[in-house]
């Protein structure tokens, strides 16, 4: 995430050599060209940030000082809002109710200011864990049941409204 008013880039998550997860937000100072942690461990505002969230996808809201982390953890897709307009970024989970996408990893995520939603496309079916891929136990969404390829790749498109914390299936079989 580019935090230009503070002249820094923020990097959240990733897998470390040896299979561990990065549990901190790293900041790259664009002026001094140095790396540091943006505060201590990620401040979660009460939300429990699962280790698997470090392998999620980040989408920036270009009209605001926030980004969204979308990650599969605990056999469900979870959304975290990252507010980075402060020295120590704050993360809070936006707990969704109702219908939701099937668990996935390596999906594409973008935020559309025009429709005010996160857009989630595709990915590989299942849950990614340290050094392995474990398929989902209960992939019950219509897209997961019918929209995947024989290789386990999903072709569905979902929208997530942060203001109401709700998912909506936008297109069951994108690209077909």
């Amino acid at each position: 995430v580019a935090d230009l008013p503070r002249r820094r880039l923020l990097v959240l998550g990733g897998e470390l050599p040896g299979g561990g997860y990065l549990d901190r937000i790293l900041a790259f100072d664009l002026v001094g060209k140095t790396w540091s942690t943006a505060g201590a461990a990620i401040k979660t505002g009460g939300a429990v940030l699962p280790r698997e969230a470090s392998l999620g996808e980040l989408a920036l809201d270009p009209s605001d000082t926030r980004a969204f982390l979308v990650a599969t953890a605990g056999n469900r897709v979870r959304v975290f809002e990252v507010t980075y307009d402060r020295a120590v970024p704050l993360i809070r989970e936006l707990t969704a109710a109702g219908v939701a996408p099937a668990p996935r990893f390596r999906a594409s995520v973008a935020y559309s200011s025009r429709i005010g939603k996160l857009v989630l496309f595709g990915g590989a079916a299942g849950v990614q864990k340290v050094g392995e891929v474990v398929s989902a136990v209960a992939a019950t969404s219509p897209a997961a049941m019918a929209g995947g390829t024989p290789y386990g790749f999903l072709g569905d498109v979902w929208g997530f409204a942060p203001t109401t914390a709700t998912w909506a299936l936008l297109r069951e079989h994108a690209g077909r």
Side-chain angles (χ1 to χ4, degrees):
V1 174
D3 183 8
L4 297 179
R6 288 189 173 71
R7 295 187 178 108
R8 65 183 179 173
L9 300 176
L10 299 175
V11 178
L12 172 63
E15 192 169 355
L16 300 170
Y21 290 99
L22 179 63
D23 67 347
R24 300 177 187 280
I25 295 177
L26 297 179
F28 181 73
D29 183 323
L30 294 169
V31 177
K33 301 196 182 344
T34 57
W35 286 96
S36 66
T37 57
I42 294 171
K43 302 293 183 187
T44 61
V48 175
L49 189 64
R51 291 175 5 135
E52 292 87 350
S54 295
L55 299 178
E57 306 299 329
L58 199 62
L60 176 67
D61 176 354
S63 65
D64 203 349
T65 55
R66 65 182 179 166
F68 298 95
L69 173 66
V70 179
T72 293
N75 233 12
R76 64 188 172 103
V77 175
R78 297 170 70 176
V79 178
F80 299 88
E81 181 181 53
V82 181
T83 306
Y84 59 89
D85 64 345
R86 54 190 74 194
V88 178
L90 177 69
I91 296 179
R92 69 181 180 107
E93 184 169 6
L94 303 177
T95 305
V99 174
R104 65 195 63 218
F105 60 97
R106 295 188 181 149
S108 295
V109 179
Y111 182 82
S112 170
S113 298
R114 187 175 67 79
I115 63 172
K117 290 184 180 182
L118 281 168
V119 179
L120 171 70
F121 170 72
V127 179
Q128 185 173 4
K129 301 206 179 203
V130 179
E132 67 178 344
V133 176
V134 179
S135 59
V137 174
T140 58
S141 78
M145 301 298 265
T149 69
Y151 305 106
F153 294 104
L154 302 169
D156 52 353
V157 179
W158 289 81
F160 181 82
T163 55
T164 59
T166 54
W167 285 103
L169 180 62
L170 302 178
R171 187 163 182 148
E172 194 167 345
H173 305 291
R176 287 190 187 178

